[in-house]
Structure formats: structure tokens, C-alpha cells
Amino acid sequence: MNDSGSTVDRQEEQQSQIPDEIKDKWEREQMKLKKQMVLTDSSDISKIISCCQGKTSDNFLIGGVDISFVKGDHVNACAALIVLNFPQLEVVYEDCQMIKLTAPYIPGFLAFREAYLLEEMYNKLKKTQPQYVPQVIMVDGNGILHPRGFGLACHLGVLLDTPCIGVAKNLFQVDGIENDDDHQLKIKQLSKGGDTFKLVGTSCKVLGKALRSCDSAPNPIYISTGHKVTLDSAVELVYKCCKHRVPEPTRQVL
């Protein structure tokens, strides 16, 4: 994240341009969709976890989605949907499109800027090459680690009725979870790939986990449940997909 004042100023300006009634409408839609969110493992996730644990030798498909911006441009962006086979982690499908984003970025409402564009790409895949429809999707963003417990990974998962996992490179500071000295100490205590610690808010809810994804990457990634997957299964699957700090399904779309 750019820590320059201009970026902060632009975000504050964008927020001030959104009428309260629009933000209220978005909050109501989030709460309506949240009622459909499932935080248990789907049958597909259970099968993938059995594969992770060496109990089966089946093959699966894992998707990754992200929208990245041209530097200095908050309108023109590249939306990407990548599908890899698992456990081989080879790309079997990719779709990248240049798009224009009309909705402004408002913290806590990222899904209203990105989810519906990603939904269109998923539906295109489902229609044109259904053999590559993934059993789970990793989202470069957050799931329940969110001010209202319903981030992009949750929103997209409910829209698609597909298991989704939030995989964030930076900590979303919500519910009293802060990137403070205590948090940094916990990061230093992650001694090897696969080590984790829970992200517990002042509400006493576990909103996610910090994961050291590999020995060579001391900085963790932040995993949170999106839809139809438990936190433990999400962390195990993400770790199995990591050759570098970021798991392959989202690293391939960067």
C-alpha cells in the first residue's frame, strides 16, 4: 500500500462523494447476502482436504481471482481468473480482461466494485469451458475478516454458490485486530512454513489466521473463510498451494 498522503486523500475524497443512502443500501445488501453464507466444508472441500492429507489421489481444480490496477490509474484495471489443477498446480485455464471500474473504492465495500465483474468471468468459464470450473476459488482479499464479517471472498462465494477463501497480503485491521507490537511479535514467532496464529477480535471471534506460507517468506499472509469452507481447511489448502509467499492460484493472476 502506498502510504503517501495523496492516496489517503483520494480515498477520503471518494468516500465523501458516496451518498449515505448508497452506503446504507450496500450495507443492507451485504447483510442480506450474509444470511446465505456457509462456514462449513462443502463435500468438494472435504474431498480436497482428504487429498491434501494423502488419503486420496484424486485431481481437483482451484481458481484464483484478482483485479489489478494500472499504476496511478484507479479506473482502468485488469481482471483475471486463473484455474490450476491440484495437486499439480499447473495452469489449465486463464482469462484476463482489461476493464473500467465505475464504482469508487470504499473500504469495507470492495465487493461492490469487483465482485460482479468477477462473477461475469466465472459465468463465461462455466458456459464456454465447463470442464475447468473450479471446486474452490482463492480471492486476493478477505472473507469474514471484515468490518461486517462479509468481505469480497464471502460476497463472491455466495453469488457463485462456490467455496471461496480470502487470501490477503496485508492485515485488514478490524474488530480491534491491529498491526501493533504484539502482532509483530507473533509474526516473529512463526519459525517455519506452515506455522500460524489466530486473528482474534475484541468480539472474541476468530476472524482468520496469519500463515507463514513457506520457510523463505517471513512475512505472513492472512487467511479468512469466505463461503462453504472452514478456517482450518482454508489454511491447509492455501498452504498446500504455496511455492512462494502467495499461493499459486492468486500468485498466477498477479
Side-chain angles (χ1 to χ4, degrees):
M1 179 181 292
N2 188 336
D3 61 358
S4 67
S6 60
T7 299
V8 174
D9 290 344
R10 281 195 298 270
Q11 290 181 0
E12 291 178 347
E13 180 181 356
Q14 288 175 335
Q15 291 184 64
S16 66
Q17 292 173 351
I18 299 296
D20 288 340
E21 56 265 29
I22 296 297
K23 287 188 277 190
D24 290 342
K25 177 183 176 182
W26 285 352
E27 282 194 25
R28 289 194 300 271
E29 185 170 346
Q30 282 180 332
M31 294 304 99
K32 180 180 178 180
L33 290 173
K34 186 178 180 179
K35 294 178 181 178
Q36 303 175 48
M37 181 175 66
V38 176
L39 300 181
T40 55
D41 286 339
S42 70
S43 58
D44 281 336
I45 291 294
S46 295
K47 293 174 184 176
I48 296 173
I49 294 302
S50 291
C51 177
C52 290
Q53 296 172 347
K55 297 176 182 178
T56 65
S57 57
D58 297 329
N59 292 315
F60 300 92
L61 296 170
I62 299 178
V65 294
D66 186 29
I67 293 181
S68 56
F69 295 87
V70 177
K71 188 173 182 180
D73 188 336
H74 298 277
V75 175
N76 295 292
C78 179
L81 165 61
I82 306 291
V83 180
L84 288 77
N85 54 20
F86 181 86
Q88 299 90 342
L89 298 178
E90 301 164 334
V91 175
V92 297
Y93 174 90
E94 55 185 327
D95 182 13
C96 299
Q97 301 178 19
M98 292 303 299
I99 58 172
K100 287 185 179 292
L101 294 170
T102 54
Y105 169 68
I106 305 296
F109 295 102
L110 180 63
F112 293 93
R113 184 171 167 87
E114 300 187 358
Y116 298 97
L117 295 165
L118 297 172
E119 182 185 18
E120 288 179 7
M121 299 182 76
Y122 176 88
N123 289 336
K124 174 187 171 184
L125 165 61
K126 196 172 181 179
K127 181 178 180 179
T128 60
Q129 298 193 58
Q131 70 273 26
Y132 294 127
V133 171
Q135 283 92 25
V136 58
I137 297 173
M138 294 184 186
V139 178
D140 184 18
N142 294 287
I144 65 170
L145 183 61
H146 179 270
R148 287 169 296 282
F150 197 74
L152 177 59
C154 306
H155 201 124
L156 186 64
V158 169
L159 289 178
L160 304 182
D161 192 27
T162 296
C164 282
I165 299 170
V167 183
K169 295 183 288 294
N170 300 300
L171 178 65
F172 196 178
Q173 301 183 78
V174 298
D175 193 20
I177 299 172
E178 297 182 1
N179 190 7
D180 53 16
D181 291 342
D182 181 59
H183 186 81
Q184 289 299 315
L185 177 60
K186 290 178 180 178
I187 288 176
K188 291 178 181 178
Q189 292 172 342
L190 299 174
S191 61
K192 62 183 185 306
D195 286 353
T196 66
F197 63 84
K198 295 178 181 178
L199 302 171
V200 183
T202 54
S203 63
C204 297
K205 294 180 180 179
V206 178
L207 300 181
K209 284 187 177 182
L211 166 68
R212 179 164 179 167
S213 48
C214 58
D215 292 344
S216 60
N219 292 325
I221 52 178
Y222 298 95
I223 315 302
S224 54
T225 297
H227 183 55
K228 289 189 171 183
V229 60
T230 62
L231 180 57
D232 286 344
S233 293
V235 170
E236 184 168 359
L237 181 53
V238 169
Y239 179 56
K240 290 291 185 180
C241 290
C242 287
K243 297 180 180 179
H244 307 278
R245 180 185 176 224
V246 177
E248 290 301 294
T250 52
R251 191 181 77 87
Q252 293 285 350
V253 302
L254 297 178

